[in-house]
Amino acid sequence: MRTASPSRRRGGAASRAAHGGAHAGRARRSHWVPVVAVCGILLAILAWQVVRLVLGDGTTSAPVASATNPSAASVGATTEVSIGDSGGLHVVETLAFDTPQKRIELAVPHRVGAGEPFAPAISALVVRGAGQVRKASPMGVGDRAAVSLDRPTDHVVLEYDAAGAVQRSHDASAPERALALVTPLVVVGAESLPATVEVRSVKVLNVGCLHHGVLAGCGTRTSGGWTVETSGADGAPDVLAQLNLAVR
């Protein structure tokens, strides 16, 4: 019977150890690799937008609502997002419906793809409409809630704080880099409304829209941050922002 030489046995053990170490390293990195990848995509999108601004592409953006249709111009959702130094979000969302609403349904859905790592926790949630103020309980991923109003109204304002909506990249070369889900709360039934999302933070480097699992560049840089406009024709995308946060 042949036996393996001592050198071959040592070589095999070393190979197995190295192989096992590689698997362990991949396992340790697996939780932040998606965030790093999305940050890379957003950086590429930013570069392309800069090229378009410099060279021009000969196209113009269509307005969200037609100026010839006053009712279409008045209906829609406007979301204002502020990002704190530690990554907490403060959100104010104003909705104008085409018909009066007596019940507002809210959800924090499970996201997929680039949105999967986020676990937003909604707190200090207040719903205002027709002179009424309703406070709602905290919400987490998978939760749904309904807020009833005594008097129907076509104008509703939501205000809330969100934690867990920011994921740091854990990239040693850029420890300040992070990704934020700036639209964590969904108003059920309002996805078809024309929408504007204003991210008011100088920390934001770029924004992207995640729709049906596909991330694409969207938005315009402003003096105070970024603005994203969507028509609502294909639903409401999740808006992701790439940003720099203070290193902890």
Side-chain angles (χ1 to χ4, degrees):
M1 178 183 297
R2 293 185 178 180
T3 59
S5 66
S7 61
R8 291 183 63 184
R9 286 196 299 269
R10 287 194 298 271
S15 175
R16 288 190 297 273
H19 189 64
H23 277 292
R26 284 195 295 270
R28 286 192 295 269
R29 291 192 296 268
S30 62
H31 69 288
W32 55 262
V33 165
V35 177
V36 175
V38 173
C39 285
I41 293 172
L42 287 177
L43 279 176
I45 291 169
L46 176 60
W48 173 240
Q49 289 176 338
V50 170
V51 170
R52 290 180 61 190
L53 286 174
V54 173
L55 300 180
D57 62 357
T59 61
T60 57
S61 298
V64 172
S66 171
T68 61
N69 188 343
S71 63
S74 63
V75 173
T78 300
T79 303
E80 300 174 0
V81 184
S82 300
I83 303 176
D85 292 338
S86 61
L89 306 183
H90 182 74
V91 182
V92 178
E93 182 173 2
T94 303
L95 300 114
F97 297 95
D98 54 358
T99 57
Q101 307 290 309
K102 192 173 182 179
R103 178 184 174 93
I104 306 299
E105 295 191 19
L106 308 171
V108 184
H110 292 276
R111 267 80 179 191
V112 297
E116 186 175 3
F118 298 100
I122 308 299
S123 61
L125 175 57
V126 178
V127 180
R128 300 183 178 91
Q132 306 164 84
V133 179
R134 297 287 185 268
K135 294 183 179 181
S137 300
M139 299 176 66
V141 176
D143 288 344
R144 294 176 69 99
V147 178
S148 297
L149 301 171
D150 294 335
R151 297 185 300 280
T153 179
D154 57 6
H155 189 86
V156 175
V157 178
L158 309 177
E159 186 170 1
Y160 60 91
D161 295 324
V166 172
Q167 289 286 322
R168 292 180 181 267
S169 70
H170 298 282
D171 185 350
S173 64
E176 74 285 357
R177 198 60 48 80
L179 196 64
L181 173 64
V182 298
T183 53
L185 185 65
V186 172
V187 180
V188 180
E191 296 90 346
S192 61
L193 294 178
T196 300
V197 179
E198 298 180 359
V199 187
R200 297 179 175 178
S201 176
V202 296
K203 306 176 184 67
V204 178
L205 304 176
N206 197 16
V207 295
C209 290
L210 183 66
H211 201 258
H212 301 310
V214 178
L215 182 65
C218 61
T220 304
R221 187 189 291 275
T222 66
S223 59
W226 287 77
T227 297
V228 176
E229 294 184 340
T230 55
S231 67
D234 194 28
D238 284 323
V239 179
L240 303 181
Q242 185 186 38
L243 58 149
N244 284 336
L245 290 179
V247 178
R248 293 178 296 187

